[in-house]
Amino acid sequence: PGSAIWAPGPLDELNERYVQNPDLGEGSFETKLQGQLDGASPEAIQLMAEALFVYFLPARWNISGATKRTKINEILSWIPDGPSLPLDLARITDEGVGSGGPGFHLYKWASLSFLLAFARRWKLADATTREAALADPWKFREFVAKIPTDGGGIYGRESLLHIMFPDT
């Protein structure tokens, strides 16, 4: 509360540290991410944890709610005296609508890059563009389609489209 998390500052910081500098080397996603976020602001670290929450929302069959919570709280633990996943949001992690397939685990980094790039571009868009996209799933899809899914970020794109317009 009181911190601007999904804001230009943290989004720009993650764009520089994460989106523009992917770590494709050896090691687990979390180990590489911790290195990428070493020295990052608390807001940028929390933003990454929240982006991971969004990434996990649709997934149900290939990851458990307990694993989702553990991974989100691990990132939040990198913030000194930082927050933990609120209970009402923790309960949601047991839900989902399907499986992201093999790419869900293999290309997590790329889907998170996509989600962060989307959020950054969304924040930069004018209010008229955002309002039109929120009112029309096809306009929203057009907005989203302009963001690259390089490296395998298709799960991030498709899950975002489903989250925003599940009936479409």
Side-chain angles (χ1 to χ4, degrees):
S3 296
I5 303 302
W6 292 83
L11 285 164
D12 289 345
E13 186 175 354
L14 287 183
N15 182 61
E16 183 180 320
R17 289 177 172 274
Y18 183 79
V19 176
Q20 299 302 321
N21 291 294
D23 183 347
L24 304 178
E26 295 296 317
S28 72
F29 171 79
E30 290 77 14
T31 299
K32 294 186 291 187
L33 181 61
Q34 189 170 19
Q36 289 172 292
L37 297 182
D38 186 38
S41 69
E43 293 81 10
I45 296 170
Q46 184 172 335
L47 174 56
M48 181 56 83
E50 291 184 16
L52 188 63
F53 177 86
V54 172
Y55 173 79
F56 284 149
L57 274 176
R60 182 175 187 156
W61 307 117
N62 54 344
I63 187 169
S64 70
T67 300
K68 293 177 191 179
R69 292 186 293 276
T70 297
K71 293 188 178 297
I72 292 165
N73 279 317
E74 178 182 352
I75 294 170
L76 290 171
S77 76
W78 303 337
I79 304 170
D81 300 317
S84 59
L85 184 61
L87 291 177
D88 57 337
L89 296 179
R91 282 189 218 103
I92 294 169
T93 61
D94 289 322
E95 303 300 324
V97 295
S99 168
F104 175 78
H105 294 293
L106 293 173
Y107 303 113
K108 182 190 312 182
W109 68 271
S111 284
L112 281 167
S113 287
F114 168 83
L115 291 171
L116 292 166
F118 161 78
R120 189 166 179 258
R121 188 170 290 184
W122 186 258
K123 287 290 188 174
L124 294 172
D126 61 78
T128 303
T129 299
R130 290 193 309 262
E131 288 170 12
L134 290 175
D136 181 341
W138 307 114
K139 286 184 181 177
F140 186 80
R141 184 179 75 169
E142 286 174 20
F143 183 93
V144 168
K146 294 176 185 169
I147 302 161
T149 56
D150 298 342
I154 295 168
Y155 170 83
R157 181 189 66 207
E158 298 303 311
S159 62
L160 176 64
L161 292 172
H162 175 77
I163 288 167
M164 294 303 298
F165 293 97
D167 294 333
T168 304

